[in-house]
Amino acid sequence: QMEYTGPGRAIPEPQNLESVKLGFIGPIMPTVSVATGGRSHEEPLGIQMLQGSRLAIEEANARGGYHARGIPFELVVRNDNGLWGASGNEIVTLAYKDRVWAILGTIDGANSHIAIRVALKAEILMINTGDTDPTFIETNIPWVARDIGDDRQMGYLLVDYLYRAQGYERVGIIRASNRYGRFGVREIKDSSRRLGHPVLLEMAYQVGSDDFSLHLERLQKADVQAIVHWGDAREGALILNQMRAMGMEHPYFASDRSVSDEFVEIAGDNAEGVICGYPWDPERDDERLEIFRKNFRARFGVEPDTYAAHAYDGMNMLIWAVETAGLNRAKIRDVLAYMPPWPGVTGEIVMSAALDDVGEVYLAKFEDGRWNYYSREELGIPQGYIPPRDRVSRGATAAGGP
């Protein structure tokens, strides 16, 4: 595992504490600025992430709080307003003014990159539960961990399904012009090229757009066989509806953000057959998951989404690390870095040497009014190269999957 070889482990645990503070940073209050391209749009995701974190803290306190001292855990909340530099300032505040022992957050890729560099300077553990940017963990910062499968892992599975299982040869991309869209499709493009099927056309749109006719006309003229969208649920559904209105019956693939009620409500009947990458299987039979859902509904009155579930797991991992290591930031980092596979509500969380979750990812397909989730094994796509003569012809169905 990645090591931290600096000082800090000899610092004694402070006395006279009234609570053990853990930090949260996420988009929970809307902002409007030129830097974010207008009105911010990730608050519904951030609020669920905050709720998952709160539930974990409240349950830990119901169990007795920080057992070594018999004092409660306290969640210190800061807003990620989407502006470069502001998120770094919030990490400074959490680390030095609020004196939290570890931090959970955030979602925006650009802000996450800034935040973890400040965490490196402040030498405080930061666990990310909502940013799927593949480059996030490539920084090799020993104070950073992530408990959610990223766009690289989901992209690999999606590419395998497109070319190796379904036999498509001509794929086009339409994506958001922000960092999420730009970095999310990078591995799809690279993997397509490596498999001998370079992406024919990539079209980018401004976040918040309503008309995608120009983008779709160009994709149609490029004679693509399938279209991949990477962006938020709203735009993904509008694009799908406009495709179908133009007579484009292309198979439609999308990122995990489209696996949402918003997407289904906007897309309506057009949602049938849509396939998305997804970082976990929320429909599996798991007692821990059912208990979490029940408690979350009772506490907040809504169903938990993927951001709530991963934040709940991430905060519980931080609580466990604090309980195990004691109140010492370097030791808390050490414990989490060498943590055995974590039995989370999102499934078994296995950390790579770079402290990234490398657990299994899935494809979600909307069928008969609901999302169904398929593993690589269920899709009949083994790891490794499949000779062309053994590939399923285009349009055929992989064994056991969509």
Side-chain angles (χ1 to χ4, degrees):
Q1 296 297 86
M2 190 161 40
E3 294 184 2
Y4 165 64
T5 56
R9 296 175 179 87
I11 299 175
E13 185 166 309
Q15 302 300 311
N16 303 319
L17 292 177
E18 295 182 357
S19 65
V20 174
K21 296 180 179 180
L22 295 174
F24 171 94
I25 180 170
I28 55 176
M29 292 183 289
T31 58
V32 178
S33 73
V34 175
T36 56
R39 189 185 186 281
S40 56
H41 60 282
E42 293 179 338
E43 287 75 35
L45 315 181
I47 289 171
Q48 281 260 342
M49 189 166 75
L50 175 58
Q51 290 171 337
S53 301
R54 284 198 188 282
L55 183 60
I57 291 286
E58 290 170 2
E59 290 179 351
N61 286 335
R63 296 191 298 267
Y66 179 51
H67 290 156
R69 302 275 286 275
I71 55 178
F73 288 97
E74 178 184 349
L75 188 64
V76 181
V77 179
R78 297 288 174 181
N79 182 50
D80 176 7
N81 65 11
L83 299 178
W84 272 51
S87 56
N89 292 337
E90 297 292 7
I91 299 300
V92 170
T93 300
L94 287 168
Y96 294 107
K97 181 180 178 181
D98 299 323
R99 297 187 177 277
V100 301
W101 295 99
I103 301 171
L104 184 146
T106 177
I107 296 175
D108 180 79
N111 288 358
S112 293
H113 270 276
I114 293 175
I116 61 178
R117 283 162 172 78
V118 178
L120 170 64
K121 292 296 184 180
E123 296 181 345
I124 185 170
L125 175 64
M126 186 168 185
I127 186 165
N128 186 283
T129 67
D131 177 16
T132 55
D133 179 354
T135 67
F136 172 81
I137 213 68
E138 292 174 358
T139 53
N140 282 335
I141 294 174
W143 293 90
V144 174
R146 175 165 60 186
D147 77 339
I148 185 172
D150 65 13
D151 289 335
R152 174 185 286 112
Q153 298 171 62
M154 289 184 279
Y156 285 163
L157 181 56
L158 197 56
V159 163
D160 276 345
Y161 182 75
L162 283 167
Y163 302 116
R164 298 168 66 187
Q166 295 298 301
Y168 295 112
E169 298 178 351
R170 303 170 62 83
V171 172
I173 290 175
I174 181 169
R175 64 163 178 85
S177 59
N178 58 9
R179 184 187 180 93
Y180 175 69
R182 185 170 66 255
F183 281 83
V185 300
R186 193 174 68 170
E187 297 300 331
I188 291 178
K189 292 192 298 180
D190 289 348
S191 299
S192 297
R193 175 176 42 79
R194 288 195 296 269
L195 290 177
H197 304 292
V199 170
L200 293 183
L201 184 64
E202 177 184 350
M203 300 296 297
Y205 61 83
Q206 190 70 29
V207 174
S209 299
D210 296 312
D211 182 10
F212 308 93
S213 55
L214 175 63
H215 309 77
L216 295 175
E217 286 170 4
R218 292 186 176 179
L219 286 166
Q220 192 173 32
K221 289 179 180 178
D223 193 27
V224 298
Q225 297 169 322
I227 292 177
V228 176
H229 169 255
W230 220 268
D232 290 336
R234 173 188 171 274
E235 285 89 343
L238 292 176
I239 289 168
L240 176 59
N241 288 343
Q242 291 179 29
M243 280 176 53
R244 299 302 185 240
M246 293 169 61
M248 298 176 65
E249 297 301 324
H250 300 69
Y252 192 69
F253 300 85
S255 65
D256 61 299
R257 289 193 181 182
S258 288
V259 183
S260 69
D261 293 338
E262 182 183 18
F263 178 87
V264 174
E265 289 170 4
I266 297 174
D269 293 340
N270 291 330
E272 185 69 18
V274 169
I275 295 176
C276 306
Y278 210 62
W280 64 300
D281 178 8
E283 295 300 319
R284 73 187 190 284
D285 184 14
D286 187 308
E287 183 180 2
R288 287 187 301 270
L289 176 57
E290 291 307 312
I291 293 173
F292 163 68
R293 280 204 178 105
K294 178 182 177 182
N295 292 342
F296 192 94
R297 287 193 298 264
R299 174 65 175 85
F300 302 107
V302 296
E303 285 288 335
D305 69 4
T306 182
Y307 293 91
H310 282 92
Y312 179 80
D313 279 346
M315 189 58 71
N316 274 313
M317 289 162 60
L318 290 182
I319 291 169
W320 172 83
V322 170
E323 291 278 18
T324 304
L327 300 182
N328 179 291
R329 289 177 177 175
K331 291 181 180 179
I332 292 169
R333 188 224 75 93
D334 290 346
V335 165
L336 192 127
Y338 290 91
M339 177 187 70
W342 180 266
V345 300
T346 57
E348 187 174 70
I349 298 171
V350 181
M351 290 292 185
S352 70
L355 308 187
D356 197 20
D357 180 7
V358 291
E360 188 166 21
V361 295
Y362 296 79
L363 290 188
K365 182 176 183 181
F366 195 76
E367 302 170 297
D368 300 322
R370 58 170 291 172
W371 292 101
N372 293 313
Y373 302 85
Y374 299 93
S375 66
R376 178 177 287 273
E377 181 180 1
E378 290 168 330
L379 293 167
I381 310 175
Q383 296 279 6
Y385 176 72
I386 298 178
R389 64 178 180 276
D390 296 331
R391 297 177 190 170
V392 179
S393 61
R394 184 177 68 82
T397 300

